[in-house]
Amino acid sequence: MKQTPILVKEVKASLHLKTNQTFRLVVVLLFGFFCATSGLYAQHTQITLITRNTPVSEVLKMIEAKSNYHFAYNNKLIDVTRKVDVEATNEKISSILKKIFENTDVTFKVLDLQIILASSKEMGESVNNTNNDKVTGKVLDDRGEPLPGVSVLIKGSKQGTVTDYKGLYSINNLPKNAILQFSFIGMITQEVKVGSQLVINVTLQEESKGLSEVVVVGYGTTTKKGLVSAVTSIKPEELNKGAITDVGQLLQGKAAGLNITVGGDPTSRASVILRGPSTLNSSMEPFYVIDGIPGVDISLVAPEDIESIDVLKDASATAIYGNRASNGVIMITTKKGKKGVTHVSYSGYAGIENVTSTLNMMNASQLRAFATQTGQNLTEDTGANTDWQKEIQRGTAFSTSHNLSFNGGSDHNTYSASINYTNKQGIIKTSNENNIIARMTFDQMAFNDKVKIGLSVANARTISDYVPQLGEVLLQAASHLPTSPVKNTNGSYYENFNKSGYFNPLAIINYNQDQTKNNNLVASFTTNVKLPFGFTYDINLSYQNYSSLHGEYYDSYMYNYNGSVFYNNPNPPDTKSIVTFGQGGTALRNSYQTTNQSLENWLTWNKTFGAHSVNAVLGYSYEDDIYGDGFQATNINFPVNTVGFNNLALGNYSAISGAKVDFGSDQSYSKQRLISYFGRLNYNFNDKYYLQASLRRDGSSVFGINNRWGYFPSVGLSWRAGQEKFIQDLGIFDDLKVRASYGVTGNSTGFNAYTAQFLSSSMGNFYSNGSSIMSYGPNKAANPDLKWEKTATSNIGLDASVLKGRLSFTVDLYNKNTTDMIYWYDADILLVPAGGLYANGGSMNNKGIELSVTAVPVKIKNFSWKTSINLASNKNTITSLSNPYFVGGDSIRYTQPDGSGQTGSTLQIRQTGHPLGQFFTLIYEGKNSDGISQYLGKDGKLTINPTSDDYRYAGSPQPKLTYGWSNSFTYKNFDLSVFFRGVYGNKIFNVTRADLFRPSSVAFTNILVAAGNESVKDNNVYKYSSRFIEDGSYLRLENMSIGYTFKRPVKYIESLHLYGTVNNLFVITKYTGVDPEINQGGMAPGVDSNNFYPKTRTILFGLNIML
Amino acid sequence: MKKKYIYFIIPVLFSVFVQSCNDLTVPVTTQITSDVYPKDSAQFVASTGVVYAALRGNYAGDYYFMTTLTTDEAILPARGGNWYDNAGYLKMHYHTWNPDHGGTSTIWDWLSRIIGYDNQTMYILNNNMPAGNFKTRTISELRMVRALAYYWMMDMYGNVPIVTTYGDFQPKAKSDRKDVFNFIESEIIACLPNLSTTVDQTTYGRPTKYMAYALLAKLYLNAEYYTGTARYNDCVTACDNVINSSKFALEPASTYLQMFYPNNGPQMKEFIFALPYDPSFASLSGTNGNMYHARYDVPRSEKAKFGIPFTPSSAENTLPEFYAYFYDKNDVRDGQWLTGLQFMNDGVTPIMVTTTKKGYDQFYTGSDGGATYTYQVNLTPKVVLRQDSSLFDCGNDEISWNMGYRNIKFYPDASSTSRNQNNDEPVFRYSDIILMKAEAILRGGTATQGQTALSLVNTLRSNRTTSAAWSTVTLDSIYNERSREFTMENWHRNDMIRFGKYEGKWGFKVNADTYRRIFPIPTEAMAKNPKLTQNPGY
């Protein structure tokens, strides 16, 4: 930034010489704007300056040297040769300036880092009056505010001036047929024919939204207008508001094509799917890049620290991250310090959360009446009326957050630091999440500002207190008889172990513990070197360490449970497993850490030759990752329960016959390496025709020795048709751009790093020379040919802006084909004795259209309304599940919720020609004359004894449309935002409802009120079938926030913003479950099973203070 | 300007560094990879264990059912719905199995798994083991296990794909039975020179030279059935190679039964090749690995008599047609059966059961059905499908549970804490060599070494019975003798087919399809290998 003062001097000179003035002034202003988008005013920067008998010009230079401010003035208008004395100690620049220009007609206006000096006399007056052709006027912005610093130029000449702080200008010496050009950064340049006018007032319109906005792409940045790919940029003010600690949740509904589902449980993460699932692997989530560091865990970013989020959607944008980019890339940029501006800000909120929706189970009197009516005897009725769902909830859950940050910088360095504390209670008792995130970045210029080095460190510490055995607790809370009491008269928990699988859910919560402490550290060291001939060179070194310390304790109370076991009751596709409780309490502790080390370096060449401009990047990256480095141990038989899992050494498992220590998986640890070479070329001609081509060569150690390297090319073209004269002549478009791209990305995650290799483990005993020997051998096959899973995406897009930027829209059409999907294929045992292996095969297609529209319907002096809507439609189809060698994979039925009496019943089928998650079940055909549920049989006839042979296709969980609609209103200092979002056209399999739909079992378990209308004779009533497949469409008022900003309420406070936010104000849906927002990621999308977690509404109050 | 170029030293230097960082090899330090294992002789032995654990796998269980319940040797009827098991045992008995039958796919998978693991282990050992006698012998032993598995596969399924390497995942088509036969023969002949001639604990459970000859003899004896070409002289030669080694001898009558007791092992001088079972052995995933005979055969009322820790299921018994071979009161082999009235081991204390009248006979119609009823257990020879003949069900009462004579050749293991027994199962015994040679001579082979069919059979019989020696021998009498000698030893199906008796009638079976001499290719196997074609008839 050292150049800036030089340019200022040139401006002064140029104005004097009347050459090329507009361009350079714009440059000055541009720098000014980039330096400080919203900074402190000069009035507050204090400097010490003592000088005698010095020309004003020199004094101004001294001030420039001691601050970050630069002066812009026309030395024809302002006498800077006048000599002055200055004696100021820790004085504000404003007061120094006042002194200097005391008793002159010079006034000054601070425009961020620019201080514009103007003569209160009309500028033209001091210039030689060669004729009387003089025009004066005022330049305003579209809200009617005066615009200072607007360049006013006589078209075709180098003669011009600048508006003063009142937006006034005056220009002389106008030739005949003069045309005035009014230009200002961020505004649309206007031209006005002078003709006979003497006063020309102009209102400049803002340039269509964000054309010059910086967009972060891989290994560099570009501007919105220079983009050839489908990228959605989201500013912090557009992110979701509320007590949100998860970045996924911040983005929900904000970018077309990004389908994010958030469950009710605050300790669970949002599921993020971009442009439909593109793999059968577990890894469907996009790849996150934070401040240029690839693969950073998003828990490291506090929402308040986010400067911008860029969602890279098509392959021409993501291919530069080749190997890990096939699910899209999300780039997060955090707030950084700026030169000359010191920011201190605090933001905080306190929120309360209440339950809005739970399952509608029968209460005690309803259940008694139903039992009597149907001739059933409750197995337990103590006269109690317990609402078990309510019993396990907190009445109100509280959350608080504090974020304190400061940043700033001087000529040669910038810094920023923040600390964030969040505590969030879950609505189920004992569940809590506590985060502390600290972040610090420091950038230093060196070697004559040719080198910029930066250090950035962030650490996030999370303590999650989970509900122990949550699945079982929720199941018990839903199905427990309301006629059982919570406690005995002596205060102990009421239990009835004579009833099979009947446990008091509150006792489970209160007697046990389940906690994870995570610590996540990321540090990066960056170096940027400016080289001659337009080259720059970057090296980034980064290190990330994610460690977890997990503990579980099951009180000795649990051992008294019948059989001392129960099922963990997870959501499908996880399968039930038996949890066994040891005598005298069971403790489990494990600690694992994951580290990533990466080195990235690239050379950038930026050059403009006339109308041609070229940007080329050539780079290399190296990354070593270690996963699951750690251990686990368990112990039982503790003398007391009070130590919980904190001291494993106190237990004594060896005194219990047959007890063993569980050391966890023998394959938790893995290490992998990724090496990549990449290059990208951007070329544009005349800001009209853009070409981008990139190629990345990626190597990964996780693949078979024969196929470790893969190539990921991409190419993109865009044409800013709006720059063409024939489009401009239409007078419709402020901007019009057509984009087309094609590229290939890869996937190397979602399976163990050693998948391609032989790994031996114990394979049974055998007899050898009189002894029993444990044999060791590979328990799975090596696949030396395992290679990249590839996703090729074609994208066509259109960006347009009309009505002077008041309405803009973007349309993207894409076609995404994943091939060579890495998947576990069943194999001929003769060839692969372990029965199957990870191999490439199968393909999947996603086609879709995305539309986003932003409009400013109202923008008047005190009021504005901005609205934007995004719509996305995606069609997912599995196009093949075969593999050249292995056929296992097609038509596999899966998702087995194992409801009572329904073991073996599956809900979904994985089949060529169908979407991922295709429901495949019995088709419900009402009831027969005896009131028994009947189903469509294989032979087309109705049956009351259906089998799995009668399964048929029954809808898709993939939504036809996802949408988000945001609105922001400002009135004077008030702001209001209202955000709706929803999905349309998806089906949900309501397994939760089916499992609670058992009118004939009220003797043992509670049922839904709705099941009370069913006949107890109908033994099919709860059978998983199309009867329980429901429309999952919904519209939710996700959040509404109202705020008020005090500008400079007291001396040291720049601004104070107070706000209140409500989340989940209402949801409109026909869905009968707790909430229609059911996970749409993973292999079993759209299955609502064991989904008892209550849905909540949060109301919070917060404030942001900027100093 | 020249000076400016100096700046580029940084990236240039860096790119040199980069070139040195192009290695994707990540040493695996936390897992047993083929780089670190197997490396020494103990590890080489341990890595072959996978194959032996696989071989033991389903031999004593599913394979036993497949080779026994499909013959007159045993039947496993349902009892009040128990043990109906989707008509699996019914179909074995009736000879009405189809490609979806569980047994047919279990055996296909088991044999495929032995072959697959065998190929995979050889692939690793060929890479990791230093050349030498130890390697040559170890690999030859593995090839013999594979040959044995292929023999069984060919015997069960006829035409099967031949896979001899690991790593080529291209599906293989089936080879003709004749080609599979030739492959097995050539494998045995190729391995013979490298196999051990030691017969003791060190080679117990592993293929020796004599196991190879025994398998060869079995192959040749059945050659006419398998390929249409008789190889009886070759069978005699193979048998002679075992006989002449003098490493084996027939157990005398006094110890015949002990040969199958839980404590059997390398000391058994008749065992040419046996599969060691031990309740303490962990099983190979995907296989059963256990030995469960008492679970199926011992009456529920005799838990105490045999001192076993569990109540046996007691579901399986023999048929009168098969028990008919046991008419010689002087034959020690009669001792493997439980028949008639049951007594404790002292031979005098009756085994009594107290139940109700209805519990004794579910069809009791008297009004005092709940009255106590005590009786002495009396096993009856016949199975009657009293409850439901279409469901293969003889009812769930005491009468039903006492139907059928029970075999306790693999004597219940009182020392085990589970259902799993310690009895090793012989695959080839010396008596089989004697009877095979006798049969081969009877079928046209040339007698050698002064041993005739009659002399050989009488040598065996003199160690089994005190009754007079035979004066003549016929194929039928050899068949009968084999039935007595190898009861429950998994060879009866093979014998019945060779003697043309597999299409006969016994129990409730009426089906006489000759195509059922081989089983169908399981549906699942055809799904996993599209090149497989179904066997004729299925």
Coordinates of all heavy atoms in Angstrom, one line a residue, chain A residues 13-68:
Chain A
A13 N -1.0 16.3 -9.2 CA -0.3 16.8 -10.4 C -1.3 16.8 -11.6 O -1.3 17.7 -12.4 CB 0.9 16.0 -10.6
S14 N -2.0 15.7 -11.7 CA -2.8 15.5 -12.8 C -3.9 16.5 -12.9 O -4.3 17.0 -14.0 CB -3.4 14.1 -12.9 OG -4.4 14.0 -11.9
L15 N -4.4 16.8 -11.7 CA -5.4 17.8 -11.7 C -4.9 19.1 -12.2 O -5.5 19.9 -13.0 CB -6.1 18.0 -10.3 CG -7.0 16.9 -9.9 CD1 -7.4 17.0 -8.5 CD2 -8.2 16.9 -10.8
H16 N -3.7 19.3 -11.7 CA -3.0 20.5 -12.1 C -2.7 20.5 -13.6 O -3.0 21.5 -14.3 CB -1.7 20.6 -11.4 CG -0.8 21.8 -11.8 ND1 -1.3 23.1 -11.7 CD2 0.5 21.8 -12.2 CE1 -0.3 23.9 -12.1 NE2 0.8 23.1 -12.4
L17 N -2.3 19.3 -14.1 CA -2.0 19.3 -15.5 C -3.2 18.9 -16.4 O -3.1 18.9 -17.6 CB -0.9 18.2 -15.8 CG 0.4 18.5 -15.1 CD1 1.3 17.2 -15.1 CD2 1.1 19.6 -15.8
K18 N -4.3 18.6 -15.7 CA -5.5 18.3 -16.3 C -5.3 17.1 -17.3 O -5.7 17.1 -18.4 CB -6.1 19.4 -17.1 CG -6.4 20.6 -16.2 CD -7.0 21.7 -17.0 CE -7.3 22.9 -16.0 NZ -7.6 24.1 -16.7
T19 N -4.6 16.1 -16.8 CA -4.4 14.9 -17.6 C -4.9 13.7 -16.8 O -4.5 13.5 -15.6 CB -2.9 14.7 -17.9 OG1 -2.2 14.7 -16.7 CG2 -2.4 15.8 -18.8
N20 N -5.6 12.9 -17.5 CA -5.9 11.6 -17.1 C -6.5 11.6 -15.6 O -6.3 10.6 -14.9 CB -4.7 10.7 -17.1 CG -5.0 9.2 -17.2 OD1 -6.2 8.9 -17.5 ND2 -4.1 8.4 -17.0
Q21 N -7.2 12.6 -15.3 CA -7.5 12.8 -13.9 C -8.5 11.8 -13.4 O -8.4 11.2 -12.3 CB -8.0 14.2 -13.7 CG -9.3 14.4 -13.0 CD -9.9 15.7 -13.3 OE1 -9.8 16.1 -14.5 NE2 -10.5 16.3 -12.4
T22 N -9.5 11.5 -14.2 CA -10.6 10.7 -13.7 C -10.1 9.3 -13.3 O -10.3 8.8 -12.2 CB -11.7 10.5 -14.7 OG1 -12.0 11.8 -15.2 CG2 -12.9 9.9 -14.2
F23 N -9.4 8.8 -14.2 CA -8.9 7.4 -14.0 C -8.1 7.3 -12.7 O -8.4 6.4 -11.8 CB -8.0 6.9 -15.1 CG -7.3 5.6 -14.9 CD1 -8.0 4.5 -14.8 CD2 -6.0 5.7 -14.6 CE1 -7.4 3.3 -14.5 CE2 -5.3 4.5 -14.4 CZ -6.0 3.3 -14.3
R24 N -7.2 8.2 -12.5 CA -6.4 8.1 -11.3 C -7.1 8.4 -10.0 O -6.9 7.8 -9.0 CB -5.2 9.0 -11.5 CG -4.4 8.6 -12.7 CD -3.0 9.1 -12.7 NE -2.4 8.6 -13.9 CZ -1.2 8.9 -14.2 NH1 -0.5 9.7 -13.5 NH2 -0.7 8.4 -15.3
L25 N -8.1 9.3 -10.1 CA -8.8 9.6 -8.9 C -9.6 8.3 -8.5 O -9.6 8.0 -7.4 CB -9.8 10.7 -9.2 CG -10.5 11.1 -7.9 CD1 -9.5 11.7 -6.9 CD2 -11.6 12.1 -8.2
V26 N -10.1 7.7 -9.5 CA -10.9 6.5 -9.2 C -9.9 5.5 -8.5 O -10.3 4.8 -7.6 CB -11.5 5.9 -10.5 CG1 -12.0 4.5 -10.3 CG2 -12.6 6.8 -11.0
V27 N -8.7 5.4 -9.0 CA -7.8 4.5 -8.4 C -7.6 4.8 -7.0 O -7.6 4.0 -6.1 CB -6.4 4.5 -9.2 CG1 -5.4 3.7 -8.4 CG2 -6.6 3.9 -10.6
V28 N -7.4 6.1 -6.7 CA -7.2 6.6 -5.3 C -8.4 6.1 -4.5 O -8.3 5.6 -3.4 CB -7.1 8.1 -5.3 CG1 -7.1 8.6 -3.8 CG2 -5.8 8.5 -5.9
L29 N -9.6 6.5 -5.0 CA -10.8 6.1 -4.2 C -10.9 4.6 -4.0 O -11.3 4.2 -3.0 CB -12.0 6.7 -5.0 CG -12.0 8.2 -5.0 CD1 -13.1 8.7 -5.9 CD2 -12.3 8.7 -3.5
L30 N -10.5 3.9 -5.1 CA -10.6 2.5 -5.0 C -9.8 2.0 -3.9 O -10.2 1.2 -3.0 CB -10.2 1.9 -6.4 CG -10.4 0.4 -6.6 CD1 -11.0 0.2 -7.9 CD2 -9.1 -0.3 -6.4
F31 N -8.6 2.5 -3.8 CA -7.7 2.1 -2.8 C -8.3 2.4 -1.4 O -8.2 1.7 -0.5 CB -6.3 2.7 -2.9 CG -5.4 1.8 -3.8 CD1 -5.2 2.0 -5.1 CD2 -4.8 0.7 -3.2 CE1 -4.5 1.2 -5.9 CE2 -4.0 -0.2 -3.9 CZ -3.9 0.1 -5.3
G32 N -8.8 3.6 -1.4 CA -9.4 4.1 -0.2 C -10.5 3.1 0.3 O -10.5 2.7 1.4
F33 N -11.3 2.8 -0.7 CA -12.4 1.9 -0.3 C -11.9 0.5 0.2 O -12.5 0.0 1.1 CB -13.4 1.8 -1.5 CG -14.4 2.8 -1.4 CD1 -14.1 4.1 -1.9 CD2 -15.7 2.6 -0.9 CE1 -15.1 5.1 -1.9 CE2 -16.6 3.6 -0.8 CZ -16.3 4.8 -1.3
F34 N -10.9 0.1 -0.5 CA -10.4 -1.3 -0.1 C -9.8 -1.2 1.2 O -9.8 -2.2 1.9 CB -9.5 -1.8 -1.2 CG -10.2 -2.5 -2.3 CD1 -11.0 -1.9 -3.2 CD2 -10.2 -3.9 -2.3 CE1 -11.7 -2.5 -4.1 CE2 -10.9 -4.6 -3.2 CZ -11.7 -3.9 -4.2
C35 N -9.2 -0.1 1.5 CA -8.5 0.0 2.8 C -9.5 -0.1 3.9 O -9.2 -0.6 5.0 CB -7.6 1.2 2.9 SG -6.2 1.1 1.8
A36 N -10.6 0.6 3.8 CA -11.5 0.7 4.9 C -12.9 0.7 4.4 O -13.3 1.7 3.7 CB -11.2 1.9 5.7
T37 N -13.6 -0.3 4.5 CA -15.0 -0.3 4.1 C -15.9 0.4 5.1 O -16.8 1.1 4.7 CB -15.5 -1.7 3.8 OG1 -15.2 -2.5 5.0 CG2 -14.9 -2.3 2.6
S38 N -15.6 0.3 6.3 CA -16.3 1.1 7.3 C -15.4 1.3 8.4 O -15.2 0.5 9.3 CB -17.5 0.3 7.7 OG -17.1 -0.9 8.3
G39 N -14.8 2.5 8.5 CA -13.8 2.7 9.4 C -14.1 3.8 10.4 O -15.2 4.3 10.4
L40 N -13.1 4.1 11.2 CA -13.2 5.2 12.1 C -12.9 6.5 11.2 O -12.3 6.5 10.2 CB -12.1 5.1 13.1 CG -12.4 4.1 14.2 CD1 -11.2 4.0 15.1 CD2 -13.6 4.5 15.0
Y41 N -13.4 7.6 11.7 CA -13.2 8.8 11.1 C -11.9 9.4 11.5 O -11.4 9.1 12.6 CB -14.3 9.8 11.3 CG -15.6 9.3 10.6 CD1 -16.6 8.7 11.4 CD2 -15.8 9.5 9.3 CE1 -17.7 8.3 10.7 CE2 -16.9 9.1 8.7 CZ -17.9 8.5 9.4 OH -19.0 8.1 8.8
A42 N -11.4 10.2 10.7 CA -10.1 10.8 11.0 C -10.1 11.6 12.3 O -9.1 11.8 13.0 CB -9.7 11.8 9.9
Q43 N -11.3 12.0 12.6 CA -11.5 12.8 13.8 C -11.0 12.1 15.0 O -10.6 12.7 16.1 CB -13.0 13.2 14.0 CG -13.5 14.2 13.1 CD -14.1 13.5 11.9 OE1 -13.6 12.5 11.3 NE2 -15.3 14.0 11.4
H44 N -10.9 10.8 15.0 CA -10.6 10.0 16.2 C -9.2 9.6 16.2 O -8.7 9.1 17.2 CB -11.5 8.8 16.3 CG -13.0 9.3 16.3 ND1 -13.8 9.1 15.3 CD2 -13.6 10.0 17.3 CE1 -15.0 9.7 15.6 NE2 -14.9 10.2 16.8
T45 N -8.5 9.7 15.1 CA -7.1 9.2 15.1 C -6.2 10.4 15.6 O -6.4 11.5 15.2 CB -6.6 8.9 13.7 OG1 -7.5 7.9 13.2 CG2 -5.2 8.4 13.7
Q46 N -5.5 10.1 16.6 CA -4.7 11.1 17.3 C -3.2 11.0 16.9 O -2.7 9.9 16.9 CB -4.8 11.0 18.8 CG -6.3 11.2 19.2 CD -6.5 11.1 20.7 OE1 -5.6 10.6 21.4 NE2 -7.6 11.7 21.2
I47 N -2.6 12.1 16.6 CA -1.2 12.1 16.3 C -0.5 13.3 17.0 O -1.2 14.2 17.5 CB -0.9 12.2 14.7 CG1 -1.6 13.5 14.2 CG2 -1.4 11.0 14.0 CD1 -1.1 13.8 12.8
T48 N 0.8 13.2 17.0 CA 1.6 14.3 17.5 C 2.4 14.9 16.4 O 3.0 14.2 15.7 CB 2.5 13.8 18.6 OG1 1.7 13.2 19.7 CG2 3.4 14.9 19.2
L49 N 2.3 16.2 16.2 CA 2.9 16.9 15.1 C 3.3 18.3 15.5 O 2.5 19.1 15.9 CB 1.9 16.9 13.9 CG 2.5 17.5 12.6 CD1 3.5 16.6 12.0 CD2 1.3 17.7 11.6
I50 N 4.6 18.5 15.5 CA 5.1 19.8 15.8 C 6.0 20.3 14.7 O 7.0 19.6 14.4 CB 5.9 19.8 17.2 CG1 4.9 19.3 18.3 CG2 6.5 21.2 17.5 CD1 5.6 18.9 19.6
T51 N 5.7 21.4 14.1 CA 6.5 21.9 13.0 C 6.3 23.4 12.9 O 5.2 23.9 13.3 CB 6.2 21.2 11.7 OG1 7.1 21.7 10.7 CG2 4.7 21.4 11.2
R52 N 7.3 24.1 12.4 CA 7.2 25.5 12.3 C 7.5 26.0 10.9 O 8.3 25.4 10.2 CB 8.3 26.2 13.2 CG 8.2 25.8 14.6 CD 8.1 27.0 15.6 NE 7.7 26.6 16.9 CZ 6.5 26.7 17.4 NH1 5.6 27.3 16.8 NH2 6.3 26.3 18.7
N53 N 6.7 27.0 10.5 CA 6.9 27.6 9.2 C 7.1 26.6 8.1 O 8.0 26.6 7.3 CB 8.2 28.5 9.3 CG 8.2 29.6 8.2 OD1 7.1 30.0 7.8 ND2 9.4 30.0 7.8
T54 N 6.1 25.7 8.0 CA 6.2 24.7 7.0 C 5.0 24.9 6.0 O 3.9 25.2 6.4 CB 6.0 23.3 7.7 OG1 6.9 23.3 8.8 CG2 6.4 22.1 6.8
P55 N 5.3 24.7 4.7 CA 4.2 24.8 3.8 C 3.1 23.7 4.1 O 3.4 22.6 4.6 CB 4.9 24.4 2.4 CG 6.3 24.5 2.6 CD 6.6 24.3 4.1
V56 N 1.9 24.1 3.8 CA 0.7 23.2 4.1 C 1.0 21.8 3.4 O 0.7 20.8 4.0 CB -0.6 23.9 3.6 CG1 -1.7 22.9 3.6 CG2 -0.9 25.1 4.5
S57 N 1.5 21.9 2.2 CA 1.7 20.6 1.5 C 2.6 19.7 2.3 O 2.3 18.5 2.3 CB 2.3 20.9 0.1 OG 3.5 21.6 0.2
E58 N 3.6 20.3 2.9 CA 4.5 19.4 3.7 C 3.8 18.9 4.9 O 4.0 17.7 5.3 CB 5.8 20.2 4.1 CG 6.7 20.5 2.9 CD 7.2 19.2 2.2 OE1 7.7 18.3 2.9 OE2 7.0 19.1 1.0
V59 N 3.0 19.8 5.5 CA 2.3 19.4 6.8 C 1.4 18.2 6.4 O 1.3 17.2 7.2 CB 1.5 20.5 7.3 CG1 0.7 20.1 8.5 CG2 2.4 21.6 7.8
L60 N 0.7 18.3 5.3 CA -0.2 17.2 4.9 C 0.6 15.9 4.7 O 0.2 14.9 5.1 CB -0.9 17.6 3.6 CG -1.9 18.8 3.8 CD1 -2.6 19.1 2.4 CD2 -3.0 18.5 4.8
K61 N 1.8 16.1 4.1 CA 2.6 14.9 3.9 C 3.0 14.2 5.3 O 3.0 13.0 5.4 CB 3.9 15.2 3.2 CG 3.7 15.2 1.7 CD 5.0 15.5 1.0 CE 4.8 15.9 -0.5 NZ 6.0 16.5 -1.0
M62 N 3.3 15.1 6.3 CA 3.6 14.6 7.6 C 2.4 13.9 8.2 O 2.6 12.8 8.8 CB 4.0 15.8 8.5 CG 5.4 16.4 8.2 SD 5.6 17.9 9.2 CE 7.1 18.5 8.5
I63 N 1.3 14.4 8.0 CA 0.1 13.7 8.6 C -0.1 12.4 7.9 O -0.4 11.4 8.5 CB -1.2 14.6 8.4 CG1 -1.0 15.9 9.2 CG2 -2.4 13.8 8.9 CD1 -2.1 16.9 9.1
E64 N 0.1 12.4 6.6 CA 0.0 11.1 5.8 C 1.0 10.1 6.4 O 0.6 8.9 6.6 CB 0.3 11.4 4.3 CG -0.8 11.9 3.6 CD -0.5 12.2 2.1 OE1 0.7 12.2 1.8 OE2 -1.4 12.5 1.3
A65 N 2.2 10.6 6.7 CA 3.2 9.7 7.2 C 2.8 9.1 8.6 O 3.2 8.0 8.9 CB 4.6 10.4 7.3
K66 N 2.2 9.9 9.4 CA 1.9 9.5 10.7 C 0.5 8.8 10.9 O 0.2 8.3 11.9 CB 1.9 10.7 11.7 CG 3.3 11.2 11.9 CD 3.3 12.4 12.9 CE 4.7 12.9 13.1 NZ 5.4 12.3 14.3
S67 N -0.2 8.8 9.8 CA -1.5 8.1 9.9 C -1.7 7.3 8.6 O -0.7 7.2 7.8 CB -2.6 9.1 10.0 OG -2.7 9.8 8.7
N68 N -2.8 6.7 8.4 CA -3.1 6.0 7.2 C -3.9 6.9 6.2 O -4.5 6.3 5.3 CB -3.8 4.7 7.5 CG -2.9 3.7 8.1 OD1 -1.8 3.5 7.5 ND2 -3.2 3.3 9.3

